[in-house]
Amino acid sequence: MREWWIHVGLICIPLVAVYLHIPPPHLSPALQKWHSAGEVFHFRGREIFYRDSYGALGSSDVIVLLHGFPTSSFDWNKIWEPLTQRFHRVIALDFLGFGFSDKPRPHRYSFFEQASVVEALVAHLGLSNQRLNLLSHDYGDTVALELLYRSDQNRTGHLTFNSLCLSNGGLFPETHYPRLLQTLLKDSTFLAPILMRITNSMIFQKGIGDVFGPYTQPTDAEFWDMWTGLRHNDGNLVLDSILQYINQRLKHRERWVGALTSTFVPLHMIYGPLDPVNPHPEFIRLYQQLVQRSTITVLDEHISHYPQLEDPTGFLNAYFNFINSF
């Protein structure tokens, strides 16, 4: 009997070792095209991936897109072309630790650093004096609020806002409900290294699928592209560090919610109401109560946490109605 267990162990150990070091998946044609259309710039010795498309003639308007967790700038792919028909320049980046950007470890990831990445990109592109329209989602919402805080405080190197549109971000810790895996990764120093290594595409698909509506689930190809972006440069191994953002939102609530409630920059919120992370009506009622200068679009009841992917037409209509209103 003892010899049987030894043989099983000898077989399983190399299999587990191979699994834990499985190489990242190859880029799909769609993701390869996105990557090929982009460039990199260097921020404090790290490579940051970005896209910068020139679009509408006769317009000087520039839009900067800030993506969410745990995905990348590819989240904007369904609305990219329509945005280029409205704006002179459409710019998106992968935050440090995301997508095609570098993913250093160990590293103390923070919203403050990500905001500095955005400011550095804007300066790199020669747009420091340009009035910018920011469109953000999820994690990107809080990066946008840090940028807004710096702008309203007239900090050196700050952006000049023309407008800000948020979407389904956990702006208020009291109405934000992280997924179980997120909580385990951010809080468990023992479990996190194991969970990050054993998480595979099926576990990832289940977790991401839970924050999409039942009728707006990504296709298998779209799930795979999200997973590929996460796995690029071993991004699965920095999730615990990035997820400290949940604690940062709580610690700096007054700073970021204060910026949101006191600014005179034109504001809009596009909200998918089936979102389990920022649930309806709790989240949107608090937003309406605190951010009285903002306009709001609540999308169809079956739209969840990724409105720009689940309902790109409705999302664009809401955004264009806002941007054309002032």
Side-chain angles (χ1 to χ4, degrees):
M1 178 66 71
R2 188 167 137 194
E3 291 180 357
W4 181 80
W5 280 107
I6 292 172
H7 286 300
V8 170
L10 290 173
I11 293 170
C12 289
I13 288 171
L15 288 176
V16 169
V18 169
Y19 173 72
L20 294 181
H21 293 88
I22 190 168
H26 294 294
L27 303 187
S28 69
L31 209 53
Q32 181 63 58
K33 182 180 178 182
W34 186 266
H35 181 255
S36 298
E39 302 178 64
V40 297
F41 83 105
H42 289 86
F43 174 82
R44 298 174 184 170
R46 312 290 187 183
E47 287 193 350
I48 304 296
F49 173 84
Y50 70 94
R51 284 198 60 181
D52 177 15
S53 292
Y54 284 80
L57 297 174
S59 171
S60 61
D61 293 344
V62 178
I63 184 171
V64 179
L65 310 174
L66 307 178
H67 67 81
F69 174 90
T71 41
S72 70
S73 59
F74 194 60
D75 290 351
W76 305 109
N77 77 94
K78 289 187 178 182
I79 65 171
W80 191 265
E81 288 305 318
L83 288 175
T84 64
Q85 295 170 23
R86 167 61 178 78
F87 291 91
H88 174 57
R89 289 173 79 172
V90 181
I91 299 162
L93 76 156
D94 289 346
F95 291 124
L96 187 68
F98 294 78
F100 294 121
S101 291
D102 280 351
K103 298 171 179 177
R105 58 185 172 93
H107 188 79
R108 293 173 65 99
Y109 291 91
S110 75
F111 287 122
F112 301 104
E113 181 179 46
Q114 304 290 21
S116 295
V117 170
V118 177
E119 289 177 337
L121 174 59
V122 168
H124 172 75
L125 296 175
L127 296 171
S128 296
N129 297 319
Q130 173 76 38
R131 296 182 65 85
L132 301 173
N133 301 284
L134 266 65
L135 173 57
S136 60
H137 171 244
D138 183 61
Y139 181 93
D141 281 8
T142 306
V143 179
L145 293 187
E146 172 58 21
L147 291 165
L148 186 66
Y149 175 86
R150 296 181 186 186
S151 177
D152 286 349
Q153 296 294 315
N154 203 28
R155 296 287 182 89
T156 301
H158 71 80
L159 304 190
T160 303
F161 278 77
N162 190 56
S163 70
L164 172 59
C165 181
L166 309 163
S167 57
N168 284 80
L171 307 176
F172 314 116
E174 59 269 40
T175 63
H176 182 246
Y177 298 89
R179 313 308 288 165
L180 175 60
L181 184 59
Q182 291 180 318
T183 302
L184 291 173
L185 286 174
K186 82 176 179 68
D187 290 337
S188 176
T189 53
F190 171 72
L191 282 176
I194 300 171
L195 290 171
M196 288 189 297
R197 287 191 176 274
I198 66 172
T199 296
N200 59 20
S201 60
M202 290 185 294
I203 295 172
F204 174 79
Q205 182 168 332
K206 174 65 170 65
I208 284 288
D210 285 347
V211 299
F212 279 74
Y215 310 114
T216 56
Q217 288 286 300
T219 65
D220 288 344
E222 289 168 343
F223 274 125
W224 192 250
D225 284 339
M226 293 179 190
W227 172 242
T228 301
L230 174 64
R231 285 283 284 113
H232 188 78
N233 286 340
D234 291 328
N236 55 309
L237 302 183
V238 301
L239 290 176
D240 60 336
S241 300
I242 292 175
L243 277 163
Q244 297 310 308
Y245 78 79
I246 296 172
N247 298 330
Q248 292 167 26
R249 279 175 171 162
L250 182 61
K251 181 177 180 180
H252 302 287
R253 182 192 185 281
E254 184 176 346
R255 176 187 181 102
W256 293 325
V257 175
L260 183 62
T261 57
S262 64
T263 189
F264 287 93
V265 168
L267 289 173
H268 192 67
M269 165 65 72
I270 302 176
Y271 178 62
L274 203 58
D275 186 355
V277 183
N278 307 288
H280 186 274
E282 185 180 355
F283 168 80
I284 205 66
R285 282 179 178 168
L286 184 58
Y287 184 86
Q288 289 173 315
Q289 176 188 337
L290 295 180
V291 196
Q292 296 182 4
R293 293 192 184 95
S294 176
T295 52
I296 299 170
T297 300
V298 178
L299 298 175
D300 290 345
E301 61 184 12
H302 64 277
I303 304 302
S304 187
H305 185 66
Y306 273 84
Q308 76 276 36
L309 291 175
E310 298 179 63
D311 184 12
T313 300
F315 189 94
L316 278 170
N317 287 340
Y319 184 65
F320 286 153
N321 286 339
F322 163 62
I323 207 71
N324 293 327
S325 67
F326 59 90

